[in-house]
Amino acid sequence: MALVIAAATPFHGHVQPVLTVAADLVRRGHEVVVLTGSRFAEDVRAAGALHVSLPPAADFDDRRLEQHFPGRAAFPTGPAQLDYDMKHVFGDPTAAQYQALRTLLARRFPASVVISDPLFLGTTALALSAPPGRRPVTVGLGITMPTLLSEDAPPIGLGMPPLLGEGAKKRHREMNDQVKEAFAGAQRHIEENFKGSGTELPGFILDCLATVPDHYLQLTVPGFEYPRGDLPSSFRFVGPLPAAPRAPRPLPEWWAEVECARQPVVAVTQGSFDNRDLGRLVRPAIEALADQDVLVVAATGRADGPAEIEAGGPVPENARVGGYVPFDALLPYASVLVTNGGYGGVHQALRHGVPLVVGGDGEDKPEVAARVQWSGAGLDLRTGQPSPEAVRDAVLAVLGEPGYHARAAGLRAEIERHDALDAIAEVVARAAS
């Protein structure tokens, strides 16, 4: 049995994959403490682990970011807001996270392994605080695309695939230099935060997220990520995590129509978190396909979601709108998924061999969408607020071109050859031996 600390920045999208890992390690007989935000205490206990809250300087409620970071609203979605987030949302908690880890290790829980999402920078500071053997083994979970700069691919943030042909590597290096220049202020700010924890950041922060941990386990397969010849030896593709177990929910009253549908089923979602305004993607998709021979199944991810859609106008006859629709039940019937592009949700679709139409903005979603199109598994709408016409054209293109389904099936087969939980458990077992 190993003692494991699983640490997560208190965002829903960061905590859930860490909890999936924690629950699996508990099932395998390990003792796990989850260090994260106070609002996730019940979720941690449901996973069978012990919850420890982050100290106030590092704890916040991601549903109310404007209360914790009042200056954030002044920056528009995009590079300016990312710069703010790197400085204040992720950078400023570094010393408090690091001290919480040190205190937990020294007084209550002498773990042999610390697993965390990459932006939990307290773990990065822990890895820098002492050489291996004098501290726990650190494991970074690649819950989104690699942030490493490379001469083989553009830097993240541009939402573009690798350039091809003569001069591509040179152009990638030039773009990397531009990103470093744009991040210079954030870099200095984060370096000061590391000094506050008594450590020194050894390079560019977007590189360090993946190079500093002893192990970096990317939660995808090579076929969904831009090829790079300069990855460190500690970097490994392990495949996506399985969907987190959820309490059983009753299927919608119209579910038999999904099971018996003769026409293609088009699933639509804005995810389980970024769904406050269903007019961004769900409503346009419903309107776009109203006159097509398809069955549209919109999963709003909210109990009041169907009421919001109905308040916006009549629901077309070929559309069914639900609150919480279990995607493990829906995706086997889906011919295409229209989604805002969350990393986990996209991989859930690919696990079922379902091609995608992606319309998302903010956070990592443009990068996910770009990889969907680059991989051949679907189309990128290049906006988080597409017009109904754009959605319709993309859905019909994916339904009408067998290549999208073939590529999604190929990625499904590649995913089936990986087991992320086994790979993580192997690292834990080696560290504890």
Side-chain angles (χ1 to χ4, degrees):
M1 181 191 76
L3 301 182
V4 180
I5 295 174
T9 314
F11 281 95
H12 178 271
H14 294 227
V15 172
Q16 291 308 311
V18 169
L19 287 185
T20 297
V21 171
D24 181 73
L25 292 175
V26 169
R27 182 182 63 79
R28 294 172 189 258
H30 302 298
E31 191 172 349
V32 182
V33 164
V34 177
L35 176 65
T36 191
S38 54
R39 91 168 181 93
F40 296 102
E42 185 176 338
D43 295 331
V44 172
R45 288 191 288 269
L50 174 67
H51 175 262
V52 173
S53 291
L54 287 164
D59 195 3
F60 54 83
D61 188 331
D62 57 326
R63 300 165 299 183
R64 301 178 179 86
L65 283 181
E66 66 282 355
Q67 295 180 13
H68 301 277
F69 305 99
R72 188 174 187 266
F75 297 91
T77 299
Q81 193 173 91
L82 177 60
D83 181 77
Y84 178 94
D85 288 349
M86 289 301 296
K87 289 176 180 175
H88 304 295
V89 179
F90 301 112
D92 287 348
T94 301
Q97 293 172 352
Y98 171 69
Q99 190 56 51
L101 283 170
R102 293 302 299 259
T103 300
L104 189 55
L105 288 164
R107 298 181 184 176
R108 298 174 56 185
F109 202 76
S112 56
V113 184
V114 176
I115 301 172
S116 64
D117 73 270
L119 284 168
F120 192 94
L121 298 183
T123 303
T124 310
L126 179 69
L128 295 170
S129 68
R134 292 175 50 195
R135 55 161 175 79
V137 171
T138 57
V139 180
L141 290 180
I143 63 173
T144 188
M145 295 75 53
T147 57
L148 277 163
L149 300 182
S150 171
E151 66 174 16
D152 296 323
I156 63 164
L158 301 180
M160 61 181 291
L163 300 174
L164 301 175
E166 186 178 353
K169 290 181 183 292
K170 179 175 181 293
R171 182 68 185 114
H172 291 150
R173 289 193 294 268
E174 291 171 351
M175 288 189 280
N176 291 341
D177 290 340
Q178 291 166 4
V179 165
K180 286 184 176 181
E181 183 178 348
F183 265 78
Q187 177 76 18
R188 290 190 295 270
H189 188 96
I190 292 169
E191 287 174 352
E192 290 301 314
N193 279 295
F194 272 83
K195 289 178 183 177
S197 65
T199 59
E200 184 174 345
L201 201 62
F204 184 49
I205 180 60
L206 296 184
D207 289 332
C208 291
L209 297 180
T211 59
V212 168
D214 300 311
H215 302 271
Y216 191 87
L217 307 181
Q218 186 63 43
L219 299 177
T220 189
V221 291
F224 191 71
E225 185 51 58
Y226 305 147
R228 303 163 187 247
D230 46 11
L231 291 171
S233 59
S234 56
F235 185 105
R236 181 156 55 116
F237 290 100
V238 297
L241 293 171
R246 299 181 185 275
R249 295 184 184 273
L251 293 170
E253 57 189 23
W254 38 259
W255 187 254
E257 298 178 55
V258 176
E259 296 178 326
C260 299
R262 294 176 180 267
Q263 69 271 58
V265 174
V266 179
V268 182
T269 181
Q270 280 183 220
S272 57
F273 195 72
D274 187 19
N275 56 14
R276 298 178 190 176
D277 179 7
L278 298 173
R280 290 173 59 82
L281 184 61
V282 173
R283 168 55 76 172
I286 291 173
E287 293 176 359
L289 301 169
D291 59 351
Q292 300 298 316
D293 186 22
V294 298
L295 176 63
V296 179
V297 179
T300 65
R302 290 168 32 195
D304 62 344
E308 179 180 321
I309 293 296
E310 292 165 6
V315 176
E317 292 184 4
N318 69 339
R320 302 293 178 267
V321 182
Y324 301 100
V325 179
F327 261 61
D328 275 349
L330 174 59
L331 286 171
Y333 296 100
S335 296
V336 62
L337 173 64
V338 180
T339 173
N340 63 341
Y343 199 68
V346 163
H347 280 88
Q348 192 176 359
L350 294 175
R351 189 182 286 278
H352 287 83
V354 178
L356 304 112
V357 170
V358 185
D361 56 20
E363 301 171 328
D364 59 355
K365 292 179 176 61
E367 293 290 342
V368 176
R371 282 159 173 79
V372 166
Q373 183 153 318
W374 170 85
S375 70
L379 290 174
D380 176 7
L381 295 173
R382 301 192 65 81
T383 176
Q385 294 184 276
S387 67
E389 293 76 18
V391 176
R392 181 195 61 224
D393 292 349
V395 169
L396 294 181
V398 170
L399 289 175
E401 172 50 62
Y404 294 111
H405 294 267
R407 186 61 190 128
L411 286 170
R412 176 183 62 193
E414 191 176 358
I415 287 169
E416 289 172 349
R417 295 194 293 270
H418 291 75
D419 190 316
L421 294 176
D422 275 355
I424 295 165
E426 177 190 341
V427 171
V428 169
R430 287 205 308 267
S433 62

